[in-house]
Amino acid sequence: MLSATPGPIGIFDSGYGGLTILHGIRQLLPRYDYLYLGDNARTPYGTRSFDVVYEFTRQAVTRLFELGCHLVILGCNTASAKALRSIQQNDLPRLDPSRRVLGVIRPTAEVIGSLTQSRHVGIFATEGTIKSESYNLEIHKLFPDIQVSGVACPFWVPLVEYNEADSPGADYFVKKRIDQLMLLDPEIDTVILGCTHYPLLLPKIHKYIPRGIRIVAQGEYVATALQQYFVNHPDMECRCTKGGQVHYLTTENADKFRESAQLFLHETVDVETITLG
């Protein structure tokens, strides 16, 4: 039986990238409590099947519910693309119809119409997110006139996780995918970073992206969408505690998480190791 007592906002990611989402949300909504869960032992999710991503994500959401979260945000594009709808439709009615799970794709899609002038948009993401076509579908629901082109960037996440984002070797992989995207559609004027790791590659991306193209990182837009969600759903806002505290959980080694988290947050964090499944 899940507790009805108010609790923290849950943020889930397959690894460390969701920390960029957490950071963006905390910048705008610092007074809330947050519980971050990274499934670092089973990352990456980007190349895994829909069924596996769904099962792993369901396990994480269930655990965050058990730990007191009434609202969970999937701060992972792959989980948002491959698992969110199934969890919302199949699992929430069984677990607790009053709880909510939100993703990062819809808030990003909602702002695109006001950002692009050419109505040509590009996406850099993991292989799983690109294959799911989730961004294409969400953007076309809202803005049928926008043309969407996506490129999978399989080496970008390892570059970030192995602290190579600033290395000379990263230039090759970043430039290669930018050139590939611009070849697909030279009229692109707005590019979505459809993976939460990618903001750490922004210096390299800005170095090679054609001048005048807007880069959309998700943290800011997800935070604004959450703020508006609370305005529209005051009942959920009341179920989120407000102590300004953050607690971190990982399925990997705590010391490794602590070291890597510094790359994303530039602060030392306390973290606890748990198991899922």
Side-chain angles (χ1 to χ4, degrees):
M1 184 72 177
L2 297 174
S3 172
T5 306
I9 298 168
I11 311 280
F12 169 68
D13 186 60
S14 60
Y16 302 104
L19 293 170
T20 62
I21 299 296
L22 173 63
H23 177 73
I25 293 174
R26 287 180 68 197
Q27 292 290 104
L28 188 63
L29 303 168
R31 67 195 185 102
Y32 293 88
D33 293 321
Y34 299 94
L35 181 57
Y36 182 91
L37 171 55
D39 190 11
N40 307 86
R42 302 188 293 194
T43 196
Y45 280 16
T47 55
R48 293 187 182 271
S49 70
F50 273 76
D51 289 343
V52 169
V53 172
Y54 162 66
E55 179 59 24
F56 287 178
T57 305
R58 186 192 62 77
Q59 291 171 4
V61 168
T62 302
R63 176 61 62 87
L64 287 168
F65 283 169
E66 291 169 350
L67 292 170
C69 301
H70 292 263
L71 173 66
V72 173
I73 297 166
L74 304 184
C76 171
N77 284 270
T78 303
S80 295
K82 293 184 173 183
L84 177 61
R85 188 174 299 277
S86 295
I87 288 173
Q88 289 174 332
Q89 294 178 350
N90 302 331
D91 296 296
L92 283 183
R94 175 180 55 83
L95 292 168
D96 184 343
S98 73
R99 305 209 177 207
R100 294 290 177 266
V101 181
L102 307 176
V104 293
I105 293 175
R106 177 78 182 194
T108 312
E110 287 175 343
V111 301
I112 285 301
S114 63
L115 299 179
T116 174
Q117 299 298 312
S118 70
R119 317 307 280 176
H120 290 252
V121 170
I123 299 165
F124 293 126
T126 65
E127 181 183 350
T129 299
I130 294 297
K131 283 186 175 178
S132 75
E133 297 193 340
S134 295
Y135 274 99
N136 308 54
L137 294 169
E138 287 295 337
I139 291 172
H140 286 148
K141 277 184 206 170
L142 300 166
F143 310 105
D145 62 313
I146 292 180
Q147 183 170 320
V148 182
S149 302
V151 166
C153 307
F155 293 104
W156 287 18
V157 168
L159 284 171
V160 171
E161 298 224 338
Y162 288 102
N163 200 17
E164 296 290 330
D166 296 325
S167 71
D171 290 66
Y172 169 79
F173 294 104
V174 171
K175 183 178 186 301
K176 179 179 181 180
R177 298 309 176 189
I178 289 174
D179 290 347
Q180 184 181 347
L181 182 65
M182 299 314 299
L183 198 61
L184 279 176
D185 185 356
E187 294 186 56
I188 286 171
D189 71 346
T190 305
V191 173
I192 297 168
L193 300 185
C195 173
T196 51
H197 283 71
Y198 295 176
L200 274 73
L201 288 164
L202 272 170
K204 300 289 189 190
I205 293 169
H206 283 301
K207 182 177 178 180
Y208 294 108
I209 202 86
R211 183 172 296 180
I213 291 181
R214 181 192 291 264
I215 307 295
V216 178
Q218 297 173 298
E220 171 190 349
Y221 300 104
V222 173
T224 303
L226 178 58
Q227 184 181 51
Q228 186 59 47
Y229 181 85
F230 282 150
V231 171
N232 297 338
H233 301 86
D235 56 321
M236 179 57 72
E237 196 277 339
C238 290
R239 284 188 275 163
C240 298
T241 54
K242 302 165 186 69
Q245 301 297 310
V246 187
H247 187 58
Y248 299 89
L249 304 172
T250 178
T251 56
E252 243 283 351
N253 177 275
D255 289 336
K256 186 176 187 302
F257 183 94
R258 197 175 294 113
E259 180 183 337
S260 296
Q262 281 202 289
L263 298 174
F264 291 84
L265 299 175
H266 306 293
E267 63 180 87
T268 302
V269 303
D270 291 322
V271 60
E272 176 187 347
T273 299
I274 64 166
T275 57
L276 292 174

